[in-house]
Amino acid sequence: MIRIFLSIVFFSALLSCMEESSENPPNILWITVEDISPDLGAYGDPIAHTPTLDKLASKGFLYTNAIANAPVCAPARNAIITGMYPSSLGTLHMRSFSKDMRSSGRVPDHVKLYPEVLRAAGYYCTNNSKEDYNFDLKRNIWDESSNTAHWKNRPDKHRPFFSIFNLTMTHESCINSKEKHDRLTQDLPSELRTNPNTIEVPPYYPDTHEVRTLLARHYDNIAVMDSVVEKLLKELEEAGESENTIVFFYSDHGTGLPRHKRWLFDTGVKVPFIIYIPKKYKSLYPSNQGSTIDQLISFIDLAPTVIQLAGAEVPETMQGKAFLGKNIEPEREYAFIARGRMDERYDIQRGVRSKRFKYLRYYEPNKPFIQYMNTPEGGPLMTAIRKAEKTGVLSKEGQQMVATKKPTESLFDLSKDPQELNDIANDPSKKKELIKLRAVHDQWMKEVMDVGLIPEAIIRGWENKNNQPIYNWIRSQENFYDKLLLMSSTVDEDILFEGLNHKNEAVRYWAGQGFYNFEKKIRPATIQRLEKKLSDPIINVGISSARALLKHKQYSEKLEQVLAQGLKDQNEWTRLQTALVLDDFKKPLEAMEKEAKALIKNDYNKYVARVLNRALNKRYGTSNKVR
């Protein structure tokens, strides 16, 4: 009897193993949305009407520490498609690639993008329809990529699919434009529309009817989005594919509002993230069905994760870690976040986030916390903030947003201060944590060789001269990176002084930038060397030196000549670098007003035109607009 029982147990176990080994690879559906933080009912938001996503979370897994590597769409999507840090690839700046630009970001040919890996593994891969990967993609990586692309279109219905649907109705433009919002929500029932009076306004925003209305639009857009998700899931069900398909839902970064999108606070980088795994793939469950998962995951982890779920081999170039599948690596301790140029303005920032703490490094602390940028400044919420600032009614929390300078570094305890309003970098009791995360940041910069510190004009110049992406070229050079890191963070005048004569132009540039950041009065010898650097063979070093001299109230005919030369340089990013100096300092702008006006009309790089237009508007009190 015992033998019979053991035989039955053995046979059952063998059958179970055979069934598991004979599983077909899962279909994988990604539903991505734009510009929302975890503003869903499943995350405890009392305002959100998201029954579809709440149900998906109840059957799946709700991740509470999902972090975008960048707080704006194009570099965030670059991290996803490559599984690599954009700051490592030279694709961090917003719009590193655009049809309007002549000098754009490149990704090496040997860097495999995850759809390429999935297709090689037998998957039918579709994208509907936004790409926006922030580099010049010259490869055919999808079976279909268009507004009609769909997993239903695969010729062989037995072939596994990977399919993305990118939903755009929660984009910031659908908040800022009443006409666009009204069209989007025209079929939303009145009982599902958000009452502005029920919203809790963040403490850093003016609490006005207009601001409440904007926030209500955001929730109404989310309600519409939830109904579209319902239709996409219904299609799976009707085709009999629901129990064969792993579903991911996430946003590309935080809400499209000031201090959220474009900033490294959690409001800009923490996203909703839900995964549903059918029962037939129960072996992949990270916990019990319906669980909340506090594991820290990063956007660079998405590519290796989906490749591992498909049973394919993760390329060695990918810097992320798979968090689902077989033989997964230990949970990551930190997520790394970065900000470069946002449209027309540079503000180099980096961050390290653990589950509890956030460390931020500001490489250009003398720039305002919120620089003037056409897109957000044109929005009604930014207008309300500027109005409140001007009339003196902006709250203490709001005043942080409009500060004219930033600290060099910040530290936040997210467990006690989730809105990151209380900077504890100078708290003696947190000094140990500050030093630890500062060291983690420095080590990460070296490990990935973050080229975001190198001026964009110099990067593109190197790429064009050597006909290869910066990721490849910089790894073939004699090491200057340690010196670059040193120049970008030191406050030692002697070190910066010597850096001005370094053989590498990026190091010399940052030495000049260091003196722009320098708060103390600089020595006469330093002024003389900065003046000498105006004649540097690399004009970007000369412009950096000019900016430092202007900061320290030094002006000369030679300085003016360098800026005039920069304003007409063939490199569009050199022209932008120069325009930003003219926007900061009146005297050289006055000398080059004629040239500035001509570029506003004629420069193909709209960012150059925007900055110069803003500079002249400030000078004359006008409100002229450009594209």
Side-chain angles (χ1 to χ4, degrees):
M1 193 71 176
I2 293 175
R3 287 182 179 178
I4 295 173
F5 173 75
L6 291 175
S7 296
I8 293 172
V9 170
F10 175 77
F11 181 75
S12 298
L14 181 62
L15 183 62
S16 175
C17 289
M18 289 175 63
E19 287 176 350
E20 185 170 340
S21 65
S22 64
E23 276 181 0
N24 292 324
N27 301 320
I28 302 170
L29 173 66
W30 280 8
I31 303 173
T32 73
V33 298
E34 299 202 335
D35 297 20
I36 71 168
S37 299
D39 306 324
L40 310 177
Y43 283 93
D45 192 308
I47 303 294
H49 179 79
T50 52
T52 303
L53 290 168
D54 298 347
K55 183 178 179 181
L56 189 70
S58 71
K59 298 190 301 178
F61 306 95
L62 186 80
Y63 285 78
T64 57
N65 279 311
I67 307 298
N69 296 107
V72 71
C73 60
R77 290 171 183 271
N78 181 265
I80 294 169
I81 199 73
T82 63
M84 301 175 70
Y85 293 105
S87 55
S88 178
L89 288 166
T91 50
L92 177 64
H93 297 308
M94 181 59 180
R95 298 285 171 260
S96 287
F97 169 72
S98 167
K99 60 181 176 60
D100 296 326
M101 296 166 185
R102 314 284 170 85
S103 178
S104 301
R106 307 182 192 179
V107 167
D109 291 339
H110 75 274
V111 170
K112 294 300 179 187
L113 312 179
Y114 75 80
E116 295 176 300
V117 180
L118 294 179
R119 291 176 73 189
Y123 273 72
Y124 180 79
C125 296
T126 67
N127 175 63
N128 186 329
S129 62
K130 184 173 181 177
E131 293 184 352
D132 202 14
Y133 303 134
N134 220 30
F135 69 98
D136 190 2
L137 178 62
K138 296 181 178 179
R139 292 180 256 168
N140 181 23
I141 66 172
W142 299 101
D143 288 291
E144 283 188 279
S145 182
S146 70
N147 58 10
T148 60
H150 203 293
W151 53 265
K152 288 182 179 180
N153 298 339
R154 66 197 193 284
D156 180 0
K157 303 306 178 186
H158 298 291
R159 184 179 174 186
F161 65 78
F162 174 87
S163 193
I164 302 181
F165 289 88
N166 296 282
L167 309 184
T168 62
M169 64 280 296
T170 50
H171 187 263
E172 64 180 320
S173 60
C174 302
I175 301 174
N176 292 333
S177 169
K178 183 179 185 303
E179 293 74 20
K180 195 169 185 178
H181 169 76
D182 288 347
R183 288 196 304 271
L184 173 71
T185 61
Q186 60 185 346
D187 295 326
L188 187 67
S190 58
E191 64 270 18
L192 298 184
R193 292 184 180 272
T194 306
N195 181 348
N197 296 325
T198 63
I199 289 176
E200 184 177 348
V201 178
Y204 38 81
Y205 291 158
D207 190 351
T208 65
H209 176 71
E210 182 180 34
V211 171
R212 286 178 172 274
T213 298
L214 294 170
L215 295 174
R217 285 182 194 168
H218 176 57
Y219 280 108
D220 288 351
N221 295 340
I222 288 174
V224 172
M225 177 270 292
D226 188 81
S227 67
V228 177
V229 173
E230 181 181 25
K231 293 175 183 176
L232 292 172
L233 296 179
K234 189 73 171 176
E235 287 181 332
L236 280 180
E237 184 180 338
E238 291 174 347
E241 295 288 2
S242 290
E243 294 311 303
N244 301 319
T245 305
I246 297 175
V247 179
F248 285 58
F249 170 87
Y250 63 92
S251 172
D252 61 352
H253 50 73
T255 307
L257 295 170
R259 202 185 183 272
H260 295 223
K261 184 176 182 178
R262 301 180 181 88
W263 278 272
L264 296 183
F265 299 116
D266 268 13
T267 46
V269 297
K270 188 175 181 180
V271 299
F273 200 96
I274 300 169
I275 298 178
Y276 168 75
I277 303 175
K279 289 182 180 179
K280 69 183 295 183
Y281 301 107
K282 190 174 181 179
S283 62
L284 299 173
Y285 283 10
S287 185
N288 295 326
Q289 199 173 22
S291 293
T292 295
I293 310 294
D294 75 343
Q295 179 177 355
L296 191 62
I297 60 175
S298 167
F299 270 12
I300 61 164
D301 300 333
L302 296 187
T305 297
V306 74
I307 289 171
Q308 186 141 298
L309 289 175
E313 186 173 344
V314 177
E316 291 184 0
T317 54
M318 290 189 175
Q319 297 163 331
K321 301 170 64 169
F323 57 86
L324 286 176
K326 299 175 182 178
N327 303 317
I328 61 174
E329 299 179 64
E331 179 181 347
R332 65 166 56 251
E333 188 175 359
Y334 304 108
F336 298 94
I337 52 181
R339 166 179 168 152
R341 173 175 50 74
M342 294 292 173
D343 292 347
E344 67 264 35
R345 302 283 174 172
Y346 293 97
D347 193 350
I348 309 301
Q349 303 174 17
R350 299 292 182 269
V352 181
R353 190 193 189 280
S354 66
K355 287 184 181 178
R356 179 175 175 183
F357 290 100
K358 166 85 67 67
Y359 170 83
L360 297 178
R361 172 77 64 85
Y362 296 103
Y363 283 90
E364 300 176 275
N366 276 338
K367 291 182 178 179
F369 184 81
I370 294 183
Q371 297 187 84
Y372 185 97
M373 288 183 284
N374 265 28
T375 299
E377 293 287 346
L381 185 44
M382 198 65 233
T383 301
I385 291 169
R386 296 297 190 195
K387 180 180 178 181
E389 175 190 13
K390 188 174 181 179
T391 56
V393 297
L394 195 60
S395 66
K396 178 183 70 174
E397 294 83 1
Q399 289 293 337
Q400 293 179 12
M401 297 172 59
V402 297
T404 57
K405 293 184 179 181
K406 304 182 292 293
T408 301
E409 54 187 0
S410 291
L411 182 69
F412 300 98
D413 185 340
L414 303 173
S415 66
K416 298 177 180 178
D417 179 27
Q419 291 185 310
E420 296 162 275
L421 298 171
N422 181 29
D423 187 351
I424 55 174
N426 295 320
D427 184 339
S429 69
K430 298 297 187 294
K431 186 175 181 179
K432 184 177 179 180
E433 193 67 36
L434 178 70
I435 293 172
K436 174 185 174 183
L437 291 180
R438 181 191 295 152
V440 170
H441 161 272
D442 292 347
Q443 183 60 34
W444 172 73
M445 295 285 284
K446 293 179 183 180
E447 284 180 358
V448 304
M449 199 164 283
D450 186 322
V451 297
L453 289 178
I454 301 170
E456 194 168 13
I458 292 178
I459 285 181
R460 303 307 167 214
W462 285 348
E463 287 182 326
N464 293 334
K465 179 180 178 181
N466 300 288
N467 196 30
Q468 58 178 315
I470 186 66
Y471 180 86
N472 288 351
W473 185 80
I474 197 171
R475 284 163 174 75
S476 69
Q477 301 306 299
E478 182 181 345
N479 181 33
F480 63 88
Y481 197 77
D482 286 348
K483 283 290 186 183
L484 181 68
L485 285 178
L486 179 61
M487 292 304 144
S488 67
S489 56
T490 187
V491 291
D492 187 307
E493 185 170 1
D494 290 333
I495 293 175
L496 292 171
F497 183 82
E498 291 303 318
L500 286 170
N501 278 345
H502 195 276
K503 62 182 178 181
N504 183 276
E505 56 261 44
V507 176
R508 299 198 301 275
Y509 168 92
W510 263 105
Q513 177 66 26
F515 282 118
Y516 172 74
N517 292 335
F518 211 71
E519 293 293 345
K520 299 177 184 177
K521 184 178 180 180
I522 58 178
R523 300 185 300 241
T526 300
I527 291 174
Q528 290 174 7
R529 181 162 288 186
L530 284 167
E531 288 174 339
K532 187 176 181 181
K533 289 291 106 180
L534 292 172
S535 300
D536 193 278
I538 304 300
I539 190 171
N540 309 98
V541 176
I543 297 168
S544 175
S545 299
R547 186 173 201 167
L549 287 165
L550 287 165
K551 164 74 183 303
H552 294 280
K553 304 187 185 310
Q554 303 293 317
Y555 194 87
S556 66
E557 184 178 342
K558 176 61 178 174
L559 182 151
E560 187 178 303
Q561 290 172 354
V562 169
L563 294 178
Q565 182 183 349
L567 206 58
K568 60 184 179 183
D569 196 87
Q570 288 187 341
N571 188 314
E572 61 195 301
W573 306 117
T574 298
R575 298 198 301 277
L576 179 60
Q577 180 192 359
T578 310
L580 289 165
V581 175
L582 300 188
D583 187 39
D584 278 352
F585 298 99
K586 293 180 180 179
K587 194 168 182 179
L589 176 66
E590 292 172 358
M592 283 165 261
E593 182 174 330
K594 181 180 178 181
E595 292 82 357
K597 288 180 177 178
L599 283 176
I600 290 171
K601 291 181 179 179
N602 302 319
D603 203 305
Y604 61 82
N605 188 312
K606 64 183 178 182
Y607 299 146
V608 176
R610 286 181 181 183
V611 171
L612 293 173
N613 183 67
R614 168 64 178 167
L616 291 177
N617 277 341
K618 282 193 302 181
R619 184 181 181 198
Y620 292 109
T622 53
S623 55
N624 296 324
K625 297 184 184 300
V626 293
R627 61 192 169 98

